[in-house]
Amino acid sequence: MKVIGIDLSGPSNHKDTVLTVFEQLPNQLKLIKLLSDIGDMDIIKEINFQSEFDEVVIGIDAPLSYQDGGGDRPGDKQLRQFIVSLGMKPGSIMAPTLNRMVYFTLRGIKLTREIENLETKNPVSIVEVHPGAIIGSRLPPENFNYVLTYKQDFTARMFIRNWMMGQNLTNLPVSVQEESHSIDACAAALGAWHWKDKTFEPKWLHPANHPLHPYDYCC
C-alpha cells in the first residue's frame, strides 16, 4: 500500500502545496517521495503513477465538501470541539464557505472529483484530514505545546519531525522540518494510515454522509 499525504493550498498558491508518498512496510511507513510547489496535474499524475503498482490511500488537508446554506459542516463543529478539549485553539477549524476559505475549498473539491474520475489499476481511497489535530491528539501531554507553535517555530518542527519518526514514519529527511507544510503533509499521511490500516484507528472520525459529504473526515 502507498499512503499519500497532501497539504493543499489555494489554487493560486502552488508553492505552499506539498505531497508526500510513503510506502507501507511491516510496522512502518517509509517516505519515498516529497514534492512541493505543485499544481493539480502534478498531484493527479503522481497518484495515477503510484496506483499502477499498489493500492493508494490519500489524506488531504483541505475541505472536501461544504455545508449547503453555508457555515460549518457537522464534522467541523465536532472536530473543533475535539481539538479544544485537547487544549488546541478553535481557529484552525474554519467553515469551508468563509471568504478566506472558498478558493481553498474549491480546489479540494475539484481535485478529489478529478481523482475519482481516474481509471486506476489499483484502488484509490480518500480521507479528509487535519494535520494539527493528528499531531495534537497523539503527542504526550508534556510535549503538547509543540503542536501550538510548530507553524512558526523551527525548534517545534524539529521536535515534531523526530516524534513522527517515533510514530514509525521513517526516512524523513532533515529538510522536512524547514517549513510547516512538509510537516503537515507527513502528518496527513500518518492520519490516512491510521484511518485505513485496521491495526490502528483514528483519534477522531466523522463518517462520510453521502451525497453532500462523500468522504470520511478524521485525525
Side-chain angles (χ1 to χ4, degrees), residues 167-182:
Q167 300 295 302
N168 296 322
L169 266 61
T170 64
N171 202 39
L172 301 186
V174 173
S175 60
V176 163
Q177 65 198 26
E178 292 298 324
E179 48 91 25
S180 64
H181 300 293
S182 296

Side-chain angles (χ1 to χ4, degrees), residues 172-199:
L172 301 186
V174 173
S175 60
V176 163
Q177 65 198 26
E178 292 298 324
E179 48 91 25
S180 64
H181 300 293
S182 296
I183 293 284
D184 285 342
C186 291
L190 175 63
W193 180 31
H194 287 188
W195 169 74
K196 187 66 174 182
D197 188 327
K198 298 307 179 186
T199 60

Side-chain angles (χ1 to χ4, degrees), residues 5-20 34-40 43 104 107 111 179 181-182 185:
I6 302 175
D7 183 45
L8 206 64
S9 62
S12 63
N13 186 20
H14 290 178
K15 71 180 181 63
D16 289 336
T17 298
V18 179
L19 179 150
T20 53
L34 188 152
L35 304 173
S36 59
D37 193 5
I38 53 175
D40 292 356
I43 295 171
F104 181 41
R107 189 180 185 194
L111 181 62
E179 48 91 25
H181 300 293
S182 296

Side-chain angles (χ1 to χ4, degrees), residues 27 30-31 42 62 72-73 75 85 105 111-112 115 122 132 135-136 138 153 164-165 168 171 174 186 191:
N27 302 315
K30 180 182 178 182
L31 182 67
D42 301 304
D72 283 335
R73 300 168 295 176
S85 75
T105 301
L111 181 62
T112 52
I115 294 168
N122 288 291
I135 297 167
R138 290 167 174 81
D153 185 66
M164 286 196 293
M165 290 192 292
N168 296 322
N171 202 39
V174 173
C186 291

